[in-house]
Amino acid sequence: MTDRALAVVRAGALTTVQDLGRPGHAHLGVPRSGALDGPAAALVNRLAGNPAEAAVLETTLNGCAVRPRSTVTMAVGGAPCPVRVDGRPVAWGAPVRVPAGALLDVGPATSGLRSYVAVSGGIAVEPVLGSRSTDLLSGLGPAPLTDGAVLPLGSPTDLHARVDVAPQPAPPAELVLRVTLGPRDDWFTPEAVRAFTSRSYRVSPSSNRIGLRTEGPALDRAVPGELPSEGMVLGAVQVPPDGRPVVFLADHPTTGGYPVIAVVRPADLPAAAQAAPGTPVRFLEVRRR
């Protein structure tokens, strides 16, 4: 019987298993989680012949290296990076046939932050609450990859990519996030609200899967004190006591007590997943529909 498994040779700085996430459990305090750059994860699944819901690997900064125990089709996308099979350069953003026992090495991102690795059949770790995603906040799902770990693979489907290579958006040189003000913009001075939507910020190195933290002008409060904890949504822009906005990403807490000055449009969040530290950030106000 074919050994459908993937051995981890180099785990990298942070590599996790991600799929579409586990929505619908916020009332239990469980974040959605899932791939931060959903379009990139969906594309590599398509290139590898998987359905969109198959689990992939999400790498951070310096990639990873894995060795399949059977011949598989793999695809690497998201942040551009060098890809090699047994030391030989192969295509990024395209299906690659990897023989049993060969080493697929995903190198450091040349731009952007997170690369995605799909394997035909998908990563078949045990699902938790309907998802195979690693949640760094709650600890649900599989632990981040470690050297020597072995991941089970699912059975390949009959799906085949209709193209040999597909275009992918470049990581942003400047991150422009469209926001709708509220629900707590009235907790900030008018000058602070104007600064939020007109001044430039930078992505902080302390950003992670929970939130994109920013560096830049502090936002002054008009209302002192703190709120009782209230529900938080994906893309909420929370302002902690230091006054620097934090954009909540896939592993965000489901409640919080700091005021939310605005909410980012969901379509802009995949670009936030690829914004490296130091990337300029602008918040662009759009009106409620």
Side-chain angles (χ1 to χ4, degrees), residues 17-22 34-35 38 41-46 49-56 118-119 121-125 127 130-133 157 159:
V17 176
Q18 299 295 338
D19 56 16
L20 298 179
R22 46 181 70 86
L43 180 55
V44 293
N45 263 330
R46 178 185 171 203
N50 293 335
E53 64 269 18
V56 301
V119 189
I123 308 296
V125 295
S131 171
R132 295 181 167 90
S133 289
T157 68
L159 296 175

Side-chain angles (χ1 to χ4, degrees), residues 4-99:
R4 298 284 303 168
L6 197 66
V8 179
V9 177
R10 179 177 63 84
L14 175 65
T15 302
T16 60
V17 176
Q18 299 295 338
D19 56 16
L20 298 179
R22 46 181 70 86
H25 300 288
H27 64 293
L28 301 175
V30 176
R32 179 190 182 103
S33 196
L36 289 189
D37 189 342
L43 180 55
V44 293
N45 263 330
R46 178 185 171 203
L47 292 171
N50 293 335
E53 64 269 18
V56 301
L57 300 180
E58 179 183 275
T59 75
T60 310
L61 288 174
N62 66 346
C64 67
V66 293
R67 195 185 302 276
R69 292 181 174 176
S70 60
T71 299
V72 295
T73 298
M74 303 184 72
V76 181
C81 60
V83 185
R84 293 180 172 81
V85 174
D86 281 344
R88 176 176 57 87
V90 296
W92 169 90
V96 175
R97 198 70 172 161
V98 182

Side-chain angles (χ1 to χ4, degrees), residues 91-127:
W92 169 90
V96 175
R97 198 70 172 161
V98 182
L103 182 70
L104 178 103
D105 190 278
V106 180
T110 56
S111 62
L113 201 58
R114 294 177 173 91
S115 299
Y116 290 85
V117 185
V119 189
S120 52
I123 308 296
V125 295
E126 193 68 25

Side-chain angles (χ1 to χ4, degrees), residues 137-148:
L137 183 66
S138 70
L140 293 177
L145 267 60
T146 56
D147 295 353

Side-chain angles (χ1 to χ4, degrees), residues 179 181 190-201 219 261-262 282-286:
V179 298
L181 290 178
E191 294 77 15
V193 175
R194 282 195 295 271
F196 172 67
T197 57
S198 63
R199 301 281 297 279
S200 180
Y201 289 81
L219 303 181
I261 191 171
R282 287 193 300 115
F283 295 99
L284 178 65
E285 181 186 0
V286 291

Side-chain angles (χ1 to χ4, degrees), residues 163-182:
V163 293
D164 293 325
V165 65
Q168 302 188 48
E174 179 185 42
L175 185 61
V176 178
L177 300 175
R178 293 171 295 170
V179 298
T180 301
L181 290 178

